[in-house]
Amino acid sequence: MTQLLPATPENIALAAQVIQNGGLVAFPTETVYGLGANALDVNALSGIFTAKGRPTADPLIVHLSGAEHTPLIARSVPETAHRLMQAFWPGPLTLILPRQPAVPDLVTSGLETVAVRVPNHPVALALLQAAGLPLAAPSANRFGHTSPTTAQHVWHDLHGRIDLILDGGAATIGVESTVLDVSTAPARILRPG
């Protein structure tokens, strides 16, 4: 049964426990609502694909609470990426970097790179800090549906398919993050945001 709860400190702590136990939590970011799971837990990751009806050939973005956690996910960070992180994180910029071996293939669709970002939303950051884990978090909707900008949109699409929805109000941007591949030179925009 899916719970829809206001994003109070107590409920953020509860959501962090759900994630630590392998569950799925929808939460607001500045762009759209994300569907979060432990990015290092293959069973939790499988749950994302099942809940969304998403093909596993579609890589996931890993959300971190700060740039200092990038080495957990990325094997190396080029100087260009460091400059972009300083200028645009936290914020709606996803960087493609060489992945650490510990990152499951389900996150990267078997690619040698991983998509990483630090969201600029107080609820997202509080959840990431409370969980103490990197979160794989695509948009919290059924695959092919419009990305959700409110908790009610998530409820409509994923009720009964996920554990918890944190209602932190409407997402302010309403469009997914820009995705920039900095694993090659020159860097390439893979998705304008």
PDB file of all heavy atoms in Angstrom, residues 36 43 90 98 123 129 145 160:
ATOM      1  N   GLY A  36      12.938   7.222  -6.066  1.00  0.00           N
ATOM      2  CA  GLY A  36      14.241   6.886  -5.518  1.00  0.00           C
ATOM      3  C   GLY A  36      14.342   5.497  -4.940  1.00  0.00           C
ATOM      4  O   GLY A  36      13.400   4.989  -4.316  1.00  0.00           O
ATOM      5  N   ASN A  43      18.177  -5.374  -6.155  1.00  0.00           N
ATOM      6  CA  ASN A  43      16.752  -5.679  -5.966  1.00  0.00           C
ATOM      7  C   ASN A  43      15.911  -4.409  -5.920  1.00  0.00           C
ATOM      8  O   ASN A  43      14.824  -4.360  -6.504  1.00  0.00           O
ATOM      9  CB  ASN A  43      16.539  -6.504  -4.690  1.00  0.00           C
ATOM     10  CG  ASN A  43      17.087  -7.909  -4.824  1.00  0.00           C
ATOM     11  OD1 ASN A  43      17.110  -8.479  -5.915  1.00  0.00           O
ATOM     12  ND2 ASN A  43      17.552  -8.466  -3.728  1.00  0.00           N
ATOM     13  N   PRO A  90      24.377  22.413  -6.165  1.00  0.00           N
ATOM     14  CA  PRO A  90      23.218  21.618  -6.531  1.00  0.00           C
ATOM     15  C   PRO A  90      22.406  22.316  -7.611  1.00  0.00           C
ATOM     16  O   PRO A  90      22.323  23.548  -7.638  1.00  0.00           O
ATOM     17  CB  PRO A  90      22.428  21.493  -5.230  1.00  0.00           C
ATOM     18  CG  PRO A  90      22.889  22.639  -4.378  1.00  0.00           C
ATOM     19  CD  PRO A  90      24.283  22.966  -4.811  1.00  0.00           C
ATOM     20  N   PRO A  98      32.827   8.344 -15.895  1.00  0.00           N
ATOM     21  CA  PRO A  98      33.195   6.924 -15.841  1.00  0.00           C
ATOM     22  C   PRO A  98      32.724   6.325 -14.516  1.00  0.00           C
ATOM     23  O   PRO A  98      32.933   6.902 -13.455  1.00  0.00           O
ATOM     24  CB  PRO A  98      34.726   6.940 -15.925  1.00  0.00           C
ATOM     25  CG  PRO A  98      35.079   8.276 -16.482  1.00  0.00           C
ATOM     26  CD  PRO A  98      34.003   9.214 -16.027  1.00  0.00           C
ATOM     27  N   VAL A 123      13.850  19.006   0.256  1.00  0.00           N
ATOM     28  CA  VAL A 123      13.350  17.676   0.612  1.00  0.00           C
ATOM     29  C   VAL A 123      14.259  16.605   0.026  1.00  0.00           C
ATOM     30  O   VAL A 123      14.621  15.640   0.706  1.00  0.00           O
ATOM     31  CB  VAL A 123      11.884  17.479   0.152  1.00  0.00           C
ATOM     32  CG1 VAL A 123      11.427  16.043   0.380  1.00  0.00           C
ATOM     33  CG2 VAL A 123      10.973  18.459   0.873  1.00  0.00           C
ATOM     34  N   GLN A 129      20.543  12.891   2.567  1.00  0.00           N
ATOM     35  CA  GLN A 129      21.392  12.928   3.765  1.00  0.00           C
ATOM     36  C   GLN A 129      20.911  11.925   4.802  1.00  0.00           C
ATOM     37  O   GLN A 129      21.718  11.223   5.420  1.00  0.00           O
ATOM     38  CB  GLN A 129      21.434  14.344   4.327  1.00  0.00           C
ATOM     39  CG  GLN A 129      22.243  15.280   3.439  1.00  0.00           C
ATOM     40  CD  GLN A 129      21.984  16.757   3.717  1.00  0.00           C
ATOM     41  OE1 GLN A 129      21.155  17.113   4.539  1.00  0.00           O
ATOM     42  NE2 GLN A 129      22.700  17.623   3.005  1.00  0.00           N
ATOM     43  N   HIS A 145       4.743   8.160 -19.730  1.00  0.00           N
ATOM     44  CA  HIS A 145       3.777   9.153 -19.262  1.00  0.00           C
ATOM     45  C   HIS A 145       4.498  10.472 -18.988  1.00  0.00           C
ATOM     46  O   HIS A 145       5.716  10.525 -18.867  1.00  0.00           O
ATOM     47  CB  HIS A 145       3.082   8.674 -17.987  1.00  0.00           C
ATOM     48  CG  HIS A 145       2.170   7.511 -18.196  1.00  0.00           C
ATOM     49  ND1 HIS A 145       1.239   7.139 -17.271  1.00  0.00           N
ATOM     50  CD2 HIS A 145       2.031   6.624 -19.227  1.00  0.00           C
ATOM     51  CE1 HIS A 145       0.573   6.073 -17.704  1.00  0.00           C
ATOM     52  NE2 HIS A 145       1.045   5.745 -18.885  1.00  0.00           N
ATOM     53  N   GLY A 160       0.064   2.130  -5.318  1.00  0.00           N
ATOM     54  CA  GLY A 160       0.021   0.679  -5.255  1.00  0.00           C
ATOM     55  C   GLY A 160       1.244   0.004  -5.860  1.00  0.00           C
ATOM     56  O   GLY A 160       1.395  -1.208  -5.769  1.00  0.00           O
TER      57      GLY A 160
END
